[in-house]
Amino acid sequence: MASSPPKKTLNSQSSSLNRPPPAVKFGRRTSSGRTVSLSRDDDLDVPGDSSSQTDYINYTVHMPPTPDNQPAGSSGSTSGPRNKMERRLSVMKSNNKSMLLRSQTGDFDHNRWLFESKGKYGIGNAYWSEEDENYDGGVSMSDFFDKPWKPLTRKVHIPAKVLSPYRLLIVCRLVVLFFFLWWRIANPNEDAMWLWGLSIVCELWFAFSWILDILPKLNPINRATDLDALRDKFEQPSPSNPTGRSDLPGVDVFVSTADPDKEPPLVTANTLLSILAVDYPIEKLSAYISDDGGAILTFEAMAEAVRFAEYWVPFCRKHDIEPRNPDSYFNLKTDPTKNKKRHDFVKDRRWVKREYDEFKVRINGLPEQIKKRADQFNMREELKEKRIAKEKNGGVLPPDGVEVVKATWMADGTHWPGTWFDPKPDHSKKDHAGILQIMSKVPELEPVMGGPNEGALDFTGIDIRVPMFAYVSREKRPGFDHNKKAGAMNGMVRASAILSNGAFILNLDCDHYIYNSKAIKEGMCFMMDRGGDRICYIQFPQRFEGVDPSDRYANHNTVFFDGNMRALDGLQGPVYVGTGCMFRRYALYGFNPPRANEYSGVFGQDKAPAMYARTQSGASQNSQTSDIESDTQPLTDDPDLGLPKKFGNSTVFTDTIPVAEYQGRPLADHMSVKNGRPPGALLLPRPPLDAPTVAEAIAVISCWYEDNTEWGDRIGWIYGSVTEDVVTGYRMHNRGWRSVYCITKRDAFRGTAPINLTDRLHQVLRWATGSVEIFFSKNNAIFATRRLKFLQRVAYLNVGIYPFTSIFLVVYCFLPALCLFSGKFIVQSLDIHFLSYLLCITITLTLISLLEVKWSGIGLEEWWRNEQFWLIGGTSAHLAAVVQGFLKVIAGIEISFTLTSKSAGEDEDDVFADLYLVKWTGLFIMPLTIIVVNLVAIVIGASRTIYSVIPQWNKLLGGTFFSMWVLTHMYPFAKGLMGRRGKVPTIVYVWSGLVSITVSLLWITISPPDDATGAGGISV
């Protein structure tokens, strides 16, 4: 546009009218966020020199005549100064705020604008009129400002003032460790080479183990979700969704249980109620419970829970109840009326509380009721058989009597198809038919509003629908390997695919309930955000209730859940820990992600887009191209990267796979969203369930369905390990998928943890044994593909290696005692070099721990409890796991575990009664031996030093210091053995005495007293 040179004063009004209006006025953004005009024309009165920095202190911003800042009915022509001024003022009068107003009022977020437009010129910078030849009719300024695209999640990085010193200290400690180990190797203890050699081997392994643990923690991050943006995008009226019906994908919630004696049905029922009352579109939610024991007690308890849910679920929606587990809610110590606005809340709560108390009575009375009913029906059957026998035998009973099977009966007078109280063939835990019962039907698409009298409650204007719920118990027969929990989960995956086919699956243990009713929506923010199609699962942290206030045995495990898992989220994602995890169904089926990267180089520093393995059909169509690509695609030979083929012979199931994949895609509402679906694609209702559909669902949970398939190998939960959760997550990461760690402000889920020492050690034993199995299997991270990031590979490698630290830890715990017994030490003398290295290592470790506490948010007491239990578990459960792992690998001895009972102790009035129960187990032997040996060694070492002619006080102090270090870590174990009020079991006294006597006699035999020797066997 040609124009005269800019002038410093205003021209006459006529000259201003004759000049055509400017098309665009350009500007720049200052540090304060304001927009400064850079267009120099006659309308600006710029005093002073043009190069002065104060040119634009008093400035005027001119907006071009665009459709979004023009008054209705006005034309684009300028007929006079009044129209020109009105046009300028229309910026303030318009309903659509202009860029100027958004900038000056703070509504305009420049960072968000850069994110939304990716800094592309044209959108948000300038507006082209429709007459312009470069005009793109698909995007306009009004569209951009009226409905801006918002991200559903964002990363919250750890402050550099915390993370930078943390990384620096890690590097410093690595350097100090290197020089310390070098000095230790270069300066052997000639007087006690065996002590020196043992200590060197242990210290080298500890350094290696620490490196494996600390390296994945270099990049911890936090994440935040935007539930308001999720609601605006999926649950508000729009051109593609005029009614504002939810466009969110379906979610299937899985709950697994196996034994009602060890997993009380009341706990499982409360978990189910929290699921049915969750804040998620009712028609998109389905709940499933897998009863792997086939117990009628669980079946009838779930039926009672569904009946109670007809009142509990609308009550939660009406009064916004949190948490929505009735047992936890009614046991809250806070004021229940806080933030409750409805006047009838107290009346409703009192009525529901009374109903819940009656519900608990019915649940607790079910065992006796079912047995009484079974006895009545069996007696009736026995009388019937006797009458028939008399009729056949001339009115006299046969000499051998009449045999009647003692069956377990349902309320409708039919045999229970699952496990009977008196197990019989076809009716035992490992031999029973498959059971599938839809206890709550598929809800209607439109809301069903309650009335003023819904069981003495006023639910007017409240949606009283309840999500669909199904009870599932897969078929079990002798001769089939049912693969424990993993097999049960895979059975639910297939059955749910036919019944509801939710694009996402949330799995919970029976004692983990939903504490935050919006937890599913929080996880959905990640799945539906840009790039969410690459996420295989969302892992939530585990939080526990009923743990003793001091957390004696580190049950909360906050160091792992708030430290390690948060750090893994900065890599490729956290590991799957068995519960509180929301899966993408398509990823569970063994498919590769839509996009992935390969990492090559020694440390995986070279990143490139992954080349996908070709299917057999594609290879047959173009075999020559396939052969050429196979030379450049080494990953195609990896069985973990091929496409799954063998899903079973159910065509109904296989037809659901592409549907689940499509429904799990994010909305294609932005140019940066890849692999998306159009808005409004999930508004149609689900088809109603009919008899053939339910029959097909029963067929896919039969025991023979998985024969000659890839279930458990590359599809679904992976078999072959007692920690199937870690292996399943590893397989997904190995294909290139990512996972996300979702820490919500209000805990998403809560559960229970074993606070008894024996139960806690057995839990740790199961985890450690699974890790040993992983180390000796093809799931070892050493054999991972190049789609696994280097540090993620290190983290998974540490998962398989950490139990082996127990071997060196046990040896190192005995070293102080050996030093005190022998009068020697691991070094020649406590010189300045050794003490300086030891001081530097201790200081750096302390500072690293403090900074880790800072960015993870854990407490110092929690960190110290974790350190104590690391030593307790390492010398007991981890060592036993290594032994069991070697037995399985060498001798083929299979490892089996039983469920930990969740019942309380004998004192029902004491919540922490289990804490004081002492149940002897073989896992106690090694820690108890370490404690007794170190105590005896301190006594013997002190006696020798005191009564020796030339006392070696420095060696006594060194040995005693390290012995006290061991005993301090063992304090919670010793306290657990004492029980309540010092009621120590007799076996503890017996074992302690035996160890003390044995150690003393061995030492006297090995090193008999000699009048001519002093301390340490030195001649005097």
Side-chain angles (χ1 to χ4, degrees), residues 178-190 193 196 200 837:
F178 174 78
F179 284 107
F180 170 71
L181 294 174
W182 183 270
W183 180 85
R184 290 276 285 119
I185 295 173
N187 294 271
N189 185 0
E190 301 293 344
M193 292 295 292
W196 172 82
I200 283 295
Y837 280 124

Side-chain angles (χ1 to χ4, degrees), residues 263-341:
E263 297 170 333
L266 183 60
V267 175
T268 307
N270 276 279
T271 299
L272 174 62
L273 290 169
S274 71
I275 295 170
L276 298 179
V278 75
D279 184 5
Y280 199 77
I282 304 168
E283 67 277 7
K284 303 293 183 71
L285 185 70
S286 302
Y288 297 85
I289 281 189
S290 171
D291 180 14
D292 221 27
I296 189 174
L297 179 58
T298 304
F299 178 85
E300 298 202 1
M302 297 306 103
E304 289 286 349
V306 171
R307 284 192 286 271
F308 178 70
E310 296 177 357
Y311 302 109
W312 173 252
V313 172
F315 169 72
C316 292
R317 293 175 187 152
K318 178 181 178 180
H319 298 290
D320 195 20
I321 299 300
E322 293 285 357
R324 299 190 177 183
N325 175 324
D327 191 69
S328 297
Y329 171 70
F330 289 121
N331 287 325
L332 290 176
K333 304 301 181 181
T334 58
D335 182 11
T337 62
K338 185 178 181 180
N339 299 326
K340 296 297 181 288
K341 300 179 181 179

Side-chain angles (χ1 to χ4, degrees), residues 253-264:
V253 185
F254 293 173
V255 179
S256 59
T257 183
D259 190 346
D261 294 329
K262 295 183 178 180
E263 297 170 333

Side-chain angles (χ1 to χ4, degrees), residues 31 54 63 293 301 326 335 456 568 585 674 718 834 883 987 999:
S31 60
T54 61
M63 301 302 296
D335 182 11
L568 289 176
R585 184 184 287 269
K674 300 179 181 179
I718 307 302
F834 176 77
V883 174
I987 191 172
V999 170

Side-chain angles (χ1 to χ4, degrees), residues 137-154:
V139 181
S140 66
M141 185 74 87
S142 60
D143 291 337
F144 180 80
F145 282 128
D146 289 344
K147 290 188 176 180
W149 186 87
K150 296 181 180 179
L152 302 179
T153 63
R154 60 188 177 91

